[in-house]
Structures are given as C-alpha cells and as structure tokens.
Amino acid sequence: MSIRFLQAIALALGVVASLPASAEAPTLRWPLPLPAGQPWRIVDLREGNGIRHEEYIPRGQGIEDYRDRIVVQRMVSQNLNPETYLAHVSAGLRAHCSELTTSGLFASERDGLPSAALTVYCSRFGSRNYGYVVAQKAVLDGDHLFVVEREWRLPAFRIDATGLPQLGSGSPDDEAIKREVRLAVRWLVEQVQPGAEVIAPTPPPPPPPARLPQHPKRRS
C-alpha cells in the first residue's frame, strides 16, 4: 500500500473541508517540466475543492509496486510558507518510520516567489519491508502552494549513527541511488517553478514537395 504524503498533510490541515468552491484558480494548472531519464506516465489526476493532484510513475512500473513516483499538488497555502509546509510533511512521516533523517534544506526566491526544498529519508515505513526517500520542493505563489515530490520506494535501509542513510547497505546501489537523488534535487531547485514555460520540442520541417518528372517536348 503506497503512502499519500501530500494528501494526508492537506487533509490534516483542513484544506479540503474548509475551502469554498470558488477556490479553484488558474494557478492550479501550473505546468511541470518532468525530469529526463524516465518515460513518465500520469496515473492519477484529481481536481476539486481548491486542490489539484497529479501522480506520475515510469512506464513498466505498476501503481502498487512502483519504485519511482512524482506527486504534484497545487493548493491554498492557509498561511503556510514553504519551509513550514515541508516541516509538516516531515513530522507526519516521522510517526510512521523506524528511523528518519533529513538533508539538503534549500530556501530561495525566484521571480519574487519564495521556495524551499528538502530531502527526507524514511528507513522503514511501519512494518513493511521498504522505506522511502522523498525529495520535495514547495513554492508559495500568492495564496497558493505549488508542491512537487520525487519519491523512491526502496528496500528497508538503515541510518547510521552520524545520521547518514545507507541506502544499499554499502553496495554499489547505494551510490547509484544517492546520485539519482542529487539529480532530482537539482531538477527541483533549478527547473521546477510555477509559471515556467514548458517548451515543446520543435517539430522537424516538412519535407520539400516531390518534383514531378520532366517529359521531353514533342516535336511537330
């Protein structure tokens, strides 16, 4: 059973229960530049009561047994700033994890919009045999939050005495996963931004029209 990080936090904060229908806004439809390297497909799309929720997993991975997932939400902020929102998410997750550590808190402002990014490591989720790594970014745009989560569901791992996650128990997978996390954080920090223009690939020019064969003039 997959966890619903952002939905649970939104419900806990009373977003769904307290918003009027008029809360729907154009800002709920910010485009998202999906990261390269995976053939992402959308598997869930819901919109209502001021929240738009999207989920993506790569082709070839199942909804219930995925390894990789992206969750996108747009919602009314209810006076939460990006750092406070991410702290709520971490606190909600901590109650379900054997061990939890965080890293990479990065607060910034771009185009007048404050944002924060944070990576959370959950060594084991409840009694299940897997844990989570969640790289998140929240951006405040007026009275709306734009939240993106890049998630990995991995075999249960440990967090050592220094607070560092050991994702692959010292195997080469450990460094490979950490490299994926670094690339995801870079994508979140540098490319994920409300209102950023998503440029579609330029289609190739049409081929020149075929030339009809030339027939020699007949002599009279």
Side-chain angles (χ1 to χ4, degrees):
M1 178 178 127
S2 64
I3 56 176
R4 306 284 182 179
F5 298 102
L6 301 180
Q7 304 97 301
I9 295 300
L11 289 170
L13 296 175
V15 174
V16 174
S18 63
L19 291 175
S22 61
E24 300 293 348
T27 47
L28 293 179
R29 295 176 178 81
W30 287 315
L32 175 71
L34 291 171
Q38 296 271 23
W40 296 99
R41 64 187 177 100
I42 190 164
V43 294
D44 191 9
L45 174 59
R46 286 169 281 149
E47 186 171 337
N49 294 315
I51 298 176
R52 181 178 171 91
H53 174 92
E54 304 166 28
E55 291 184 26
Y56 301 83
I57 63 173
R59 296 190 182 279
Q61 296 186 25
I63 295 175
E64 294 301 324
D65 61 352
Y66 66 89
R67 174 188 181 269
D68 306 275
R69 186 170 72 152
I70 292 173
V71 178
V72 186
Q73 284 196 332
R74 293 85 159 169
M75 67 190 78
V76 172
S77 68
Q78 297 206 94
N79 298 317
L80 291 174
N81 63 40
E83 292 180 63
T84 304
Y85 179 84
L86 295 183
H88 274 286
V89 175
S90 298
L93 188 55
R94 186 180 296 275
H96 299 282
C97 297
S98 299
E99 298 175 288
L100 184 139
T101 190
T102 63
S103 68
L105 178 63
F106 182 86
S108 65
E109 184 172 310
R110 176 176 159 190
D111 299 330
L113 306 180
S115 67
L118 181 68
T119 305
V120 180
Y121 298 85
C122 170
S123 65
R124 181 187 294 270
F125 186 72
S127 60
R128 297 173 178 84
N129 62 355
Y130 54 78
Y132 288 93
V133 178
V134 185
Q136 302 163 300
K137 181 176 181 178
V139 184
L140 183 63
D141 184 0
D143 60 355
H144 279 74
L145 277 171
F146 172 74
V147 184
V148 180
E149 170 187 301
R150 172 66 168 95
E151 172 193 322
W152 295 259
R153 186 166 64 180
L154 305 171
F157 53 89
R158 66 185 181 87
I159 296 172
D160 67 23
T162 66
L164 294 177
Q166 304 299 319
L167 302 176
S169 301
S171 72
D173 287 344
D174 186 87
E175 285 305 315
I177 296 168
K178 288 179 179 178
R179 184 164 54 250
E180 287 185 38
V181 174
R182 288 194 296 269
L183 289 173
V185 170
R186 183 173 179 180
W187 164 71
L188 287 170
V189 170
E190 296 181 1
Q191 297 185 41
V192 171
Q193 184 75 358
E197 183 180 3
V198 178
I199 301 174
T202 303
R211 301 186 64 180
L212 297 175
Q214 298 285 333
H215 295 286
K217 292 183 179 180
R218 295 180 60 187
R219 294 184 180 179
S220 57

